Protein backbone atom coordinates (compact mmCIF):
# COMPACT_ATOMS: atom_id res chain seq x y z
CA UNK A 1 0.00 0.00 0.00
CA UNK A 2 1.30 3.41 -0.92
CA UNK A 3 1.48 5.60 2.18
CA UNK A 4 1.26 8.97 0.42
CA UNK A 5 -0.08 9.00 -3.10
CA UNK A 6 -0.39 11.89 -5.51
CA UNK A 7 -2.27 12.12 -8.75
CA UNK A 8 -1.59 12.78 -11.51
CA UNK A 9 2.05 11.77 -11.74
CA UNK A 10 2.62 14.00 -14.73
CA UNK A 11 0.62 17.01 -15.83
CA UNK A 12 1.18 19.03 -18.98
CA UNK A 13 -1.13 21.99 -19.49
CA UNK A 14 -1.35 25.33 -21.22
CA UNK A 15 -0.84 28.73 -19.65
CA UNK A 16 -3.97 30.18 -18.16
CA UNK A 17 -5.60 26.86 -17.34
CA UNK A 18 -6.77 25.82 -13.89
CA UNK A 19 -5.60 22.46 -12.59
CA UNK A 20 -5.63 20.37 -9.43
CA UNK A 21 -3.24 17.88 -7.91
CA UNK A 22 -4.66 15.41 -5.45
CA UNK A 23 -2.95 13.87 -2.44
CA UNK A 24 -4.06 11.11 -0.13
CA UNK A 25 -2.34 9.50 2.85
CA UNK A 26 -3.27 6.32 4.66
CA UNK A 27 -0.90 6.77 7.59
CA UNK A 28 -3.40 8.33 9.95
CA UNK A 29 -1.34 11.50 10.30
CA UNK A 30 -2.99 14.73 11.30
CA UNK A 31 -0.62 16.95 9.31
CA UNK A 32 -0.16 17.18 5.56
CA UNK A 33 2.07 19.40 3.47
CA UNK A 34 2.66 20.68 -0.01
CA UNK A 35 6.23 21.36 -1.17
CA UNK A 36 7.60 22.76 -4.40
CA UNK A 37 10.95 21.51 -5.63
CA UNK A 38 13.02 24.14 -7.37
CA UNK A 39 15.45 23.60 -10.23
CA UNK A 40 18.29 23.01 -7.77
CA UNK A 41 16.37 20.20 -6.04
CA UNK A 42 15.62 22.22 -2.92
CA UNK A 43 12.24 21.53 -1.38
CA UNK A 44 10.30 24.62 -0.33
CA UNK A 45 7.23 24.30 1.82
CA UNK A 46 4.10 25.92 0.46
CA UNK A 47 1.33 24.88 2.83
CA UNK A 48 0.76 22.80 5.91
CA UNK A 49 -2.58 21.56 7.18
CA UNK A 50 -3.26 20.04 10.57
CA UNK A 51 -6.49 18.14 10.90
CA UNK A 52 -8.06 20.05 8.02
CA UNK A 53 -6.92 23.47 9.28
CA UNK A 54 -4.30 25.62 7.58
CA UNK A 55 -1.29 26.16 9.85
CA UNK A 56 1.48 27.20 7.44
CA UNK A 57 1.00 29.35 4.40
CA UNK A 58 4.30 30.44 2.97
CA UNK A 59 4.57 33.23 0.47
CA UNK A 60 3.03 31.69 -2.60
CA UNK A 61 0.80 33.39 -5.15
CA UNK A 62 -2.84 33.32 -4.21
CA UNK A 63 -3.45 31.42 -7.43
CA UNK A 64 -2.42 28.41 -5.35
CA UNK A 65 -5.10 27.20 -2.98
CA UNK A 66 -4.98 24.07 -0.87
CA UNK A 67 -8.16 22.26 0.03
CA UNK A 68 -8.50 19.58 2.67
CA UNK A 69 -11.85 17.75 2.59
CA UNK A 70 -10.68 15.48 5.41
CA UNK A 71 -7.45 14.85 7.22
CA UNK A 72 -6.41 12.10 4.82
CA UNK A 73 -6.60 14.36 1.78
CA UNK A 74 -4.92 17.62 0.82
CA UNK A 75 -5.47 18.81 -2.72
CA UNK A 76 -3.66 21.65 -4.44
CA UNK A 77 -5.57 23.85 -6.86
CA UNK A 78 -3.73 26.19 -9.15
CA UNK A 79 -5.56 28.87 -11.11
CA UNK A 80 -4.34 30.74 -14.17
CA UNK A 81 -1.24 28.64 -14.56
CA UNK A 82 1.97 30.42 -15.57
CA UNK A 83 5.15 29.13 -17.16
CA UNK A 84 7.02 29.66 -13.90
CA UNK A 85 4.73 27.23 -12.14
CA UNK A 86 6.47 24.37 -13.94
CA UNK A 87 8.10 22.26 -11.24
CA UNK A 88 7.73 19.08 -9.28
CA UNK A 89 5.25 19.36 -6.42
CA UNK A 90 5.44 17.03 -3.46
CA UNK A 91 2.78 16.15 -0.97
CA UNK A 92 3.76 14.82 2.44
CA UNK A 93 2.15 13.76 5.66
CA UNK A 94 3.74 13.54 9.04
CA UNK A 95 3.73 13.66 12.75
CA UNK A 96 5.88 15.76 15.04
CA UNK A 97 9.19 14.23 14.04
CA UNK A 98 9.11 13.14 10.42
CA UNK A 99 7.31 13.41 7.15
CA UNK A 100 6.54 10.82 4.51
CA UNK A 101 6.62 12.04 0.96
CA UNK A 102 4.65 11.21 -2.12
CA UNK A 103 6.54 10.68 -5.33
CA UNK A 104 5.74 14.08 -6.69
CA UNK A 105 3.75 15.50 -9.57
CA UNK A 106 5.70 16.84 -12.49
CA UNK A 107 3.82 19.91 -13.72
CA UNK A 108 4.79 21.38 -17.06
CA UNK A 109 3.10 24.56 -18.24
CA UNK A 110 3.44 25.27 -21.93
CA UNK B 1 9.56 -4.91 -2.33
CA UNK B 2 10.14 -1.17 -2.00
CA UNK B 3 12.15 0.51 -4.71
CA UNK B 4 14.32 2.25 -2.11
CA UNK B 5 15.24 0.71 1.22
CA UNK B 6 16.62 2.73 4.11
CA UNK B 7 17.13 1.58 7.66
CA UNK B 8 14.91 3.85 9.78
CA UNK B 9 17.17 3.53 12.82
CA UNK B 10 17.22 5.13 15.29
CA UNK B 11 20.97 5.55 15.16
CA UNK B 12 22.76 7.02 18.16
CA UNK B 13 26.45 7.96 18.11
CA UNK B 14 28.83 9.96 20.32
CA UNK B 15 30.00 13.39 19.24
CA UNK B 16 32.98 13.21 16.91
CA UNK B 17 32.07 9.81 15.49
CA UNK B 18 31.95 9.05 11.78
CA UNK B 19 28.38 8.35 10.75
CA UNK B 20 27.47 6.16 7.82
CA UNK B 21 23.94 6.31 6.41
CA UNK B 22 22.91 4.00 3.61
CA UNK B 23 20.21 3.26 1.08
CA UNK B 24 19.79 0.43 -1.35
CA UNK B 25 17.58 0.45 -4.40
CA UNK B 26 16.26 -2.07 -6.85
CA UNK B 27 15.63 -0.05 -10.02
CA UNK B 28 18.75 0.36 -12.13
CA UNK B 29 17.08 3.26 -13.95
CA UNK B 30 17.84 5.62 -11.05
CA UNK B 31 20.64 7.97 -12.04
CA UNK B 32 20.37 11.00 -9.76
CA UNK B 33 20.75 10.67 -6.03
CA UNK B 34 20.06 13.08 -3.21
CA UNK B 35 20.35 13.27 0.54
CA UNK B 36 18.03 15.49 2.56
CA UNK B 37 18.29 16.40 6.22
CA UNK B 38 15.13 17.07 8.18
CA UNK B 39 15.09 18.54 11.65
CA UNK B 40 12.14 17.84 13.87
CA UNK B 41 9.08 19.85 12.78
CA UNK B 42 10.97 21.37 9.89
CA UNK B 43 10.94 20.74 6.18
CA UNK B 44 13.73 18.74 4.55
CA UNK B 45 16.80 20.56 3.30
CA UNK B 46 18.99 19.33 0.51
CA UNK B 47 22.45 18.22 1.61
CA UNK B 48 23.94 16.50 -1.42
CA UNK B 49 22.99 15.93 -5.04
CA UNK B 50 25.00 13.49 -7.13
CA UNK B 51 24.80 11.93 -10.55
CA UNK B 52 25.84 8.38 -11.32
CA UNK B 53 28.61 6.56 -9.49
CA UNK B 54 31.39 8.10 -7.49
CA UNK B 55 32.01 10.32 -4.49
CA UNK B 56 31.09 13.90 -3.76
CA UNK B 57 32.42 15.80 -0.78
CA UNK B 58 31.07 18.94 0.87
CA UNK B 59 32.65 19.90 4.16
CA UNK B 60 32.07 17.13 6.67
CA UNK B 61 29.69 15.33 4.34
CA UNK B 62 30.60 12.79 1.66
CA UNK B 63 28.05 11.16 -0.61
CA UNK B 64 28.99 7.92 -2.30
CA UNK B 65 27.14 6.16 -5.10
CA UNK B 66 27.84 2.61 -6.24
CA UNK B 67 25.50 1.90 -9.12
CA UNK B 68 26.85 -1.60 -9.67
CA UNK B 69 25.71 -2.54 -6.17
CA UNK B 70 22.69 -0.23 -6.22
CA UNK B 71 23.90 1.29 -2.99
CA UNK B 72 24.36 4.88 -1.85
CA UNK B 73 25.89 6.23 1.33
CA UNK B 74 26.22 9.48 3.20
CA UNK B 75 29.19 9.84 5.53
CA UNK B 76 29.34 12.49 8.21
CA UNK B 77 32.79 13.13 9.71
CA UNK B 78 33.33 14.64 13.14
CA UNK B 79 29.61 14.42 13.87
CA UNK B 80 28.08 17.17 15.98
CA UNK B 81 24.95 17.29 18.15
CA UNK B 82 23.55 19.72 15.59
CA UNK B 83 23.64 16.87 13.06
CA UNK B 84 20.86 15.14 15.00
CA UNK B 85 18.02 14.89 12.52
CA UNK B 86 16.32 12.51 10.12
CA UNK B 87 18.25 11.86 6.92
CA UNK B 88 16.33 10.94 3.79
CA UNK B 89 17.81 9.49 0.64
CA UNK B 90 16.02 10.17 -2.61
CA UNK B 91 16.62 9.27 -6.22
CA UNK B 92 15.23 9.92 -9.66
CA UNK B 93 15.51 8.36 -13.07
CA UNK B 94 15.98 11.54 -15.05
CA UNK B 95 16.69 15.04 -13.84
CA UNK B 96 13.46 16.78 -12.94
CA UNK B 97 11.37 13.64 -12.82
CA UNK B 98 9.60 12.32 -9.78
CA UNK B 99 11.59 11.38 -6.71
CA UNK B 100 11.49 8.14 -4.80
CA UNK B 101 12.34 8.64 -1.14
CA UNK B 102 13.74 6.27 1.42
CA UNK B 103 11.96 6.09 4.77
CA UNK B 104 14.56 8.23 6.48
CA UNK B 105 17.09 7.37 9.21
CA UNK B 106 16.76 9.11 12.55
CA UNK B 107 20.20 10.12 13.83
CA UNK B 108 21.09 11.34 17.31
CA UNK B 109 24.59 12.63 18.07
CA UNK B 110 25.20 12.68 21.81
CA UNK B 111 27.49 15.35 23.31
Amino acid sequence: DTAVSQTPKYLVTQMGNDKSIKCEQNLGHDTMYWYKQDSKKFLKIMFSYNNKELIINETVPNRFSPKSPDKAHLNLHINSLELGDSAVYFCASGDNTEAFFGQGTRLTVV
Amino acid sequence: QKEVEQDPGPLSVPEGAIVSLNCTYSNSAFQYFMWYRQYSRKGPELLMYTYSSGNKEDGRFTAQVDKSSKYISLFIRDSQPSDSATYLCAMEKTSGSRLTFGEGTQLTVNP
Side-chain angles (χ1 to χ4, degrees):
Chain A
D1 277 348
T2 304
V4 182
S5 60
Q6 296 178 229
T7 54
K9 298 176 183 179
Y10 298 96
L11 180 57
V12 181
T13 187
Q14 290 187 324
M15 282 175 54
N17 284 349
D18 303 336
K19 291 292 180 184
S20 295
I21 306 171
K22 295 184 178 180
C23 179
E24 176 180 4
Q25 55 100 359
N26 61 7
L27 298 167
H29 291 146
D30 287 335
T31 307
M32 295 184 72
Y33 310 83
W34 275 107
Y35 289 84
K36 180 179 180 181
Q37 186 185 42
D38 66 18
S39 58
K40 296 182 179 179
K41 308 298 179 184
F42 292 99
L43 291 174
K44 297 181 180 178
I45 192 166
M46 300 171 68
F47 301 102
S48 172
Y49 264 72
N50 183 274
N51 210 6
K52 295 172 57 180
E53 290 192 16
L54 180 66
I55 56 173
I56 294 176
N57 183 357
E58 292 296 317
T59 306
V60 298
N62 57 15
R63 299 181 293 104
F64 290 78
S65 55
K67 289 194 170 54
S68 182
D70 55 61
K71 76 173 194 177
H73 295 83
L74 181 62
N75 303 324
L76 183 65
H77 299 275
I78 315 170
N79 295 325
S80 303
L81 278 155
E82 300 176 358
L83 292 175
D85 297 332
S86 296
V88 182
Y89 293 84
F90 289 93
C91 174
S93 76
D95 57 19
N96 286 337
T97 58
E98 59 185 354
F100 294 85
F101 285 82
Q103 287 199 310
T105 296
R106 175 74 175 161
L107 171 65
T108 302
V109 182
V110 297
Chain B
Q1 182 189 7
K2 296 178 184 174
E3 276 194 301
V4 179
E5 299 274 359
Q6 183 177 7
D7 186 343
L11 179 62
S12 182
V13 302
E15 184 175 355
I18 296 174
V19 177
S20 172
L21 303 165
N22 311 296
C23 287
T24 59
Y25 61 96
S26 57
N27 192 332
S28 58
F30 288 125
Q31 296 190 63
Y32 298 85
F33 305 91
M34 284 140 274
W35 284 96
Y36 288 90
R37 175 176 62 194
Q38 186 176 23
Y39 291 112
S40 180
R41 303 182 187 185
K42 300 288 185 183
E45 53 181 325
L46 181 68
L47 282 177
M48 304 288 276
Y49 176 48
T50 57
Y51 169 70
S52 198
S53 287
N55 292 358
K56 182 175 182 179
E57 190 173 318
D58 184 1
R60 296 184 296 110
F61 297 91
T62 300
Q64 198 172 72
V65 174
D66 183 348
K67 290 192 72 181
S68 62
S69 301
K70 297 189 181 69
Y71 187 88
I72 67 171
S73 300
L74 178 70
F75 297 96
I76 308 174
R77 290 186 300 280
D78 187 25
S79 56
Q80 304 294 310
S82 58
D83 295 328
S84 299
T86 295
Y87 290 80
L88 295 146
C89 67
M91 46 198 78
E92 60 186 1
K93 295 167 188 174
T94 58
S95 182
S97 65
R98 298 160 69 239
L99 289 182
T100 301
F101 285 90
E103 286 192 26
T105 300
Q106 189 176 342
L107 171 68
T108 301
V109 180
N110 301 302

